[in-house]
């Protein structure tokens, strides 16, 4: 028995910017921030850039601990392990102001699953209360929510209570899986698979969005990350911690909601987790409640939690599923 | 400026019992528990009985700190101030076994609003984590939820993740009001009103359910409690802490859901709070979501939070409303 442990659960930060000028111009683009300035921020968080790519709409980074995506006026930063993601917030706000004239925050989402080992986290990340206190010191009107069972698995969210000015109404799906099938997880060890591309194909990640460009990475001795770019600024990203003692896989996308039912089913069948959480943002709860009764039932899984939070512009839907004992 | 403070926010405990015998008999009745045994339990919690009454279906107690209701196989205990409600749980389980042959717990609900001054609470009540740890030591399969904004006002719930065997599917509405109209609150001072009955009539509590029998109490120098019994085991209960620095009013009933829209409106107009929380149990969320879009909008109030938790047999709907600034 070793003490080896890795916290797969990511901290996830999404910030939407705006300008106090009357309208957005080409100057207002987060992608004007120099690459070395971004890498400096990532250093603060304790991440390195492993791969970089771009499409017309988005710059994407595969990181030593998860991923970053940068669009014109918003960004997604997702970091796992013992990274200190919140240390990036203030520097990012400054870079956005300096290089992109984006001097206002339109909306922010900070979220994460309950850590397996919060005692190994650093700074405010050791508990949600401290994270909230830190964010409250930077933003006005922040709202902190806990979804799921606080004495078991749960998921935390911090967001601003305000209507968005610039932010397009979009949607995000995250599927967070634990207790994964150890046979499947073997794919993500360099002893069994020689390259990231091979891992991507073996498990079938290349078939989730056949039109995506995939930027993947296989870690030494094990672990896997990928960012996928589709047309129109759509993305998906998968991160895999395969060790059986603390296996963890996350799937995230901003693909359209109409695909979610098939997507969740595909992803869950691919990884065969013992438990999984789904979070969906940006969906009308009334519609989705109706939809979930029809669709969001997965063979072999029992839904033990289902919650809806109606936010100012968004609805958030949280589901928690466990493999049914036979 | 004095240090005078009273925590109006109640701890609310509802327990549904069952027997391991094949079926319930007349023996299985919580009302067989002797009155002095009940008063002993209330002493542990730091409450005294001020008034007692009964109907065919239910025994009701107005307490020095809130209320108790005891039916054949379930009970509701609601206590405010610095009472230690959870100290009652184990003794109640023992009394139910000894005097009513009710040796199993079918379901439990423990809930409360975030305290104004949690530093003044005793024992596990100083924070929800400790309350949950205590309940987890007594029950298996307990689920702890936090509704609302954990960095502002929120509401806590502990319940068991199991389908109910005996428990009838019923419903409960609670309206928790703060920042109340000081002019209205003056009614609940003995300087201004000579009896509980007078207070009940002045504000119009006697008109909420015209067919209710009302057992009310006006505290010295201020404060008010009432229990109301309607036919078929329906009840309502109101508790008022009128001091402007920490004013608090709670309204609770198990009246049928179809009345909720009118009830909430009536109660909110009666007390004119700056903020109020509604919690509704036992309603199908799909129906209610649809209903709320049509009905649950209150003139002069903005709904800042709206959440739905789908439990095993129940849906729980949480709303938080603030008076709209003009």
């Amino acid at each position: 028995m070793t003490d080896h442990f890795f916290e797969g659960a990511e901290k996830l930060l999404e910030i939407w910017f705006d300008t106090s000028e009357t309208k957005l111009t080409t100057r207002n683009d987060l992608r004007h921030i120099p690459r070395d300035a971004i890498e400096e921020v990532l250093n603060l968080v304790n991440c390195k850039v492993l791969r970089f790519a771009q499409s017309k709409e988005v710059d994407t980074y595969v990181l030593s601990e998860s991923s970053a995506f940068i669009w014109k006026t918003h960004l997604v930063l997702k970091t796992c392990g013992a990274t200190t993601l919140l240390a990036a917030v203030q520097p990012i706000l400054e870079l956005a102001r300096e290089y992109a004239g984006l001097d206002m925050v339109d909306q922010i989402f900070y979220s994460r699953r309950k850590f397996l080992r919060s005692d190994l986290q650093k700074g405010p990340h050791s508990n949600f209360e401290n994270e909230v206190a830190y964010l409250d010191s930077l933003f006005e009107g922040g709202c902190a929510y806990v979804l799921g069972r606080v004495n078991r698995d749960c998921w935390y969210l911090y967001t601003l209570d305000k209507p968005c000015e610039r932010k397009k109404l979009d949607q995000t799906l995250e599927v967070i899986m634990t207790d994964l099938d150890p046979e499947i997880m073997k794919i993500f060890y360099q002893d069994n698979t020689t390259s990231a591309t091979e891992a991507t194909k073996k498990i079938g990640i290349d078939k989730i969005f056949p039109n995506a460009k995939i930027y993947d990475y296989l870690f030494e001795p094990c672990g896997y990350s990928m960012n996928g770019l589709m047309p129109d600024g759509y993305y998906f990203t998968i991160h895999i911690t395969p060790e059986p003692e603390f296996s963890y896989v996350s799937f995230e996308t901003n693909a359209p909601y109409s695909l979610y039912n098939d997507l969740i089913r595909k992803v869950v069948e691919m990884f065969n987790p013992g438990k999984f959480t789904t979070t969906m943002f940006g969906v009308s709860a009334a519609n989705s409640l109706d939809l979930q009764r029809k669709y969001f039932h997965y063979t072999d899984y029992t839904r033990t939690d289902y919650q809806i939070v109606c936010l100012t512009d968004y609805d958030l839907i949280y589901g928690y599923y466990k493999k049914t004992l036979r």
Side-chain angles (χ1 to χ4, degrees), chain A:
Chain A
M1 199 55 198
T2 77
D3 282 346
H4 175 57
F5 176 78
F6 186 79
E7 185 75 56
E10 296 101 348
K11 303 152 189 102
L12 177 58
L13 177 69
E14 182 171 330
I15 309 181
W16 290 75
F17 291 91
D18 198 357
T19 174
S20 54
E21 306 284 313
T22 45
K23 66 177 193 160
L24 288 173
T25 67
T26 51
R27 179 179 168 252
N28 304 120
D29 193 326
L30 295 169
R31 292 167 300 177
H32 295 330
I33 301 172
R35 175 77 178 271
D36 58 351
I38 289 184
E39 299 212 6
E40 253 174 64
V41 171
L42 292 169
N43 278 343
L44 286 177
V45 173
N46 302 306
C47 286
K48 303 252 164 290
V49 175
L50 301 178
R51 297 194 66 173
F52 171 78
Q54 53 193 159
S55 71
K56 211 177 85 202
E57 296 88 1
V58 56
D59 287 2
T60 181
Y61 300 78
V62 178
L63 304 176
S64 54
E65 272 90 2
S66 305
S67 292
F69 295 86
I70 304 181
W71 291 260
K72 188 169 158 51
T73 58
H74 78 288
L75 56 81
V76 167
L77 243 172
K78 187 170 196 168
T79 69
C80 60
T83 50
T84 51
L85 180 57
L86 290 181
V89 178
Q90 258 189 310
I92 287 171
L93 300 184
E94 281 158 28
L95 293 174
R97 186 183 300 117
E98 184 177 348
Y99 292 99
L102 292 164
D103 53 351
M104 291 168 70
V105 168
D106 194 22
Q107 187 49 284
I108 176 169
F109 301 97
Y110 173 73
S111 69
R112 66 172 176 86
R113 187 190 182 285
K114 189 180 203 167
F115 293 125
L116 285 173
R117 293 281 306 272
S118 60
D119 57 309
L120 300 179
Q121 292 294 321
K122 292 172 192 155
H125 295 294
S126 58
N127 71 57
F128 185 55
E129 256 182 41
N130 292 343
E131 293 173 317
V132 170
Y134 180 73
L135 287 162
D136 276 345
S137 76
L138 299 180
F139 299 100
E140 277 197 24
C143 312
Y145 297 98
V146 187
L147 285 284
R149 302 175 182 188
V150 296
N151 55 342
R152 312 273 174 106
D153 285 336
C154 63
W155 183 86
Y156 301 104
L157 171 70
Y158 184 92
T159 185
L160 303 183
D161 176 25
K162 65 197 278 286
C164 304
E165 301 292 330
R166 298 281 183 190
K167 173 162 172 20
K168 276 193 317 191
L169 289 178
D170 68 344
Q171 62 288 313
T172 306
L173 166 69
E174 204 180 9
V175 184
I176 295 174
M177 294 165 270
T178 52
D179 296 348
L180 291 118
D181 188 328
E183 280 308 304
I184 295 173
M185 287 298 103
K186 283 183 183 163
I187 295 174
F188 304 100
Y189 283 78
Q190 291 204 356
D191 277 354
N192 307 318
T193 302
T194 56
S195 72
T197 315
E198 190 187 325
T200 301
K201 286 193 175 155
K202 266 191 194 169
I203 185 127
I205 286 173
D206 55 325
K207 293 193 187 67
I208 299 178
F209 293 102
N211 64 342
K213 285 211 172 135
I214 287 178
Y215 307 94
D216 45 14
Y217 196 91
L218 188 64
F219 290 83
E220 165 65 37
C222 66
Y224 170 95
S225 283
M226 66 77 57
N227 295 346
L229 297 187
M230 288 92 85
D232 303 320
Y234 290 121
Y235 73 96
F236 78 117
T237 183
I238 296 177
H239 300 284
I240 300 175
T241 300
E243 288 97 321
E245 300 79 17
F246 41 83
S247 63
Y248 177 94
V249 175
S250 71
F251 169 90
E252 180 188 331
T253 185
N254 65 346
Y257 176 66
S258 56
L259 305 174
Y260 284 4
N261 187 36
D262 284 347
L263 268 176
I264 297 170
R265 202 178 301 278
K266 217 183 269 184
V267 166
V268 167
E269 279 171 11
M270 190 172 286
F271 291 103
N272 190 27
K275 298 170 187 163
F276 69 96
T277 297
T278 57
T279 60
M280 304 178 212
F281 263 101
V283 176
S284 150
N287 288 341
S288 65
L289 253 188
D290 199 47
L291 278 175
Q292 63 82 13
R293 272 184 300 162
K294 288 193 209 119
Y295 295 128
F296 292 113
H297 291 290
Y298 304 103
T299 323
D300 301 333
Y301 289 91
T302 307
R303 192 175 64 204
T304 61
D305 268 308
Y306 195 69
Q307 278 181 257
I308 297 161
V309 183
C310 303
L311 303 169
T312 312
D313 284 331
Y314 277 82
D315 289 343
L316 163 64
I317 305 178
Y318 170 92
Y320 186 84
Y321 301 80
K322 266 186 186 168
K323 191 162 275 189
T324 312
L325 298 172
R326 292 188 185 276

